[in-house]
Amino acid sequence: MRILVDMDGVLADFETAFLENWLAQHPEKSFVPIEDRQTFYIDEEYPAEFKPYLYKIFTAQYYYRNLKPIAGGREALHEMEKLGLEVIICTSPLSDYKYCVPEKYEWVEEHLGRDWVKKIVLTRDKTLVKGDFLIDDKPEISGRDTPEWEHVLYDQPYNRRVSSRKRLTWSNWQVVLL
Amino acid sequence: MRILVDMDGVLADFETAFLENWLAQHPEKSFVPIEDRQTFYIDEEYPAEFKPYLYKIFTAQYYYRNLKPIAGGREALHEMEKLGLEVIICTSPLSDYKYCVPEKYEWVEEHLGRDWVKKIVLTRDKTLVKGDFLIDDKPEISGRDTPEWEHVLYDQPYNRRVSSRKRLTWSNWQVVLL
């Protein structure tokens, strides 16, 4: 069994880092608390005129590298390997790849270890990657091909409207997948 | 039909850049002319004590970014798309990813165009990627899975001992693949 595991919103805490940066850089502006987030793309929940400020935050140097790990993720991946499951880190970089792409590698090396760097697949189209499950927080994942994997949602406030898929967190993944 | 296309030795001229750097940095040492190269990994053809010098060359900043395009590659990819074929750039970064990984993205943007950056799949294991053909100069490609694609060799001096596969260059790819 091969499990593809997304990074942002699954292993790396994009939402908290974004909000912390937003509050620090724009304390006078409105914000959306994490529990109230309704859509996958943050820019859909903020006024259109804020867009350049949002982008500036997550395209900045060290943004990706400094994301905090989501609790239990590292332990879950190590547990999967102990159980003999194959694990692949399957993640889509920003179009603005300059910092995001190398920092995703640095993040994996720092938080999971050097061996895990070899397990990264960086792709904008996850339907091209073969696996049994894809654990991903994005509500809908499409691409060129019919995916081989079953998409299991990593539970996040912004994907709770989707009721058609299995969902899990790192505290119950074994119950859902095994 | 989806064609996965490797970068080094297929689209980007790794061999010429390596040799130019080698001759410039170590003019007093022996070297292997490109036409005499016999094995895929350069370090297998140089004395063991040269290894650190070899690695220094291709792990250096700007090495990947400055690779020259292999003649006809860009035109072939554009022609494939015109013919309605799907093209994916499928490339394996060095373990020493610091410069290699972002520079592969920069290279694609510079030589193929911004749209092509979205078509990059970075993976150490190409058997996980779905496609009909993989055009690659590496003699043997293995991984976790049984590949879906047929491996077609991009002809290079160091892979000429392999006789079991179709081989092509950018001047005859249509005859071989279509």
Side-chain angles (χ1 to χ4, degrees), chain B residues 6-23:
Chain B
D6 176 39
M7 280 180 80
D8 305 320
V10 175
L11 294 172
D13 192 351
F14 188 98
E15 290 289 314
T16 303
F18 173 78
L19 193 55
E20 283 175 4
N21 275 279
W22 183 257
L23 295 172

Side-chain angles (χ1 to χ4, degrees), chain A residues 121-124 128 144, chain B residues 2-8 10-12 73-74 76-78 80-81 86-93 104-105 107-109 111-113 115-123 126 129-130 133-136 170:
Chain A
V121 176
L122 223 60
T123 177
R124 297 273 293 187
L128 303 183
R144 293 169 182 79
Chain B
R2 183 183 311 129
I3 305 178
L4 313 177
V5 183
D6 176 39
M7 280 180 80
D8 305 320
V10 175
L11 294 172
R74 176 197 164 96
L77 298 200
H78 288 291
M80 286 176 187
E81 295 229 310
E86 273 182 27
V87 186
I88 294 291
I89 312 287
C90 187
T91 179
S92 300
K104 278 177 175 283
Y105 278 70
W107 194 96
V108 168
E109 180 167 4
H111 293 285
L112 298 170
D115 282 356
W116 285 79
V117 170
K118 294 181 186 165
K119 297 172 193 166
I120 299 172
V121 177
L122 224 60
T123 177
K126 296 183 183 181
V129 186
K130 293 156 78 175
F133 291 102
L134 167 65
I135 300 176
D136 205 303
W170 295 130

Side-chain angles (χ1 to χ4, degrees), chain B residues 11-89:
Chain B
L11 294 172
D13 192 351
F14 188 98
E15 290 289 314
T16 303
F18 173 78
L19 193 55
E20 283 175 4
N21 275 279
W22 183 257
L23 295 172
Q25 292 179 29
H26 304 281
E28 78 296 352
K29 293 195 181 76
S30 63
F31 70 96
V32 183
I34 292 173
E35 282 303 313
D36 295 346
R37 292 260 295 106
Q38 301 284 321
T39 66
F40 179 74
Y41 293 108
I42 281 183
D43 58 2
E44 294 173 2
E45 294 205 49
Y46 281 78
E49 65 268 27
F50 289 1
K51 214 169 216 183
Y53 307 122
L54 306 170
Y55 282 16
K56 201 184 155 198
I57 287 174
F58 49 75
T59 57
Q61 189 169 22
Y62 305 132
Y63 179 78
Y64 277 91
R65 186 175 175 167
N66 289 337
L67 295 180
K68 299 278 188 302
I70 288 180
R74 176 197 164 96
E75 294 71 17
L77 298 200
H78 288 291
E79 186 65 23
M80 286 176 187
E81 295 229 310
K82 261 189 227 156
L83 292 169
L85 312 177
E86 273 182 27
V87 186
I88 294 291
I89 312 287

Side-chain angles (χ1 to χ4, degrees), chain B residues 141-152:
Chain B
I141 297 178
S142 59
R144 293 169 183 79
D145 216 323
T146 307
E148 214 178 64
W149 32 258
E150 179 183 348
H151 175 193
V152 179

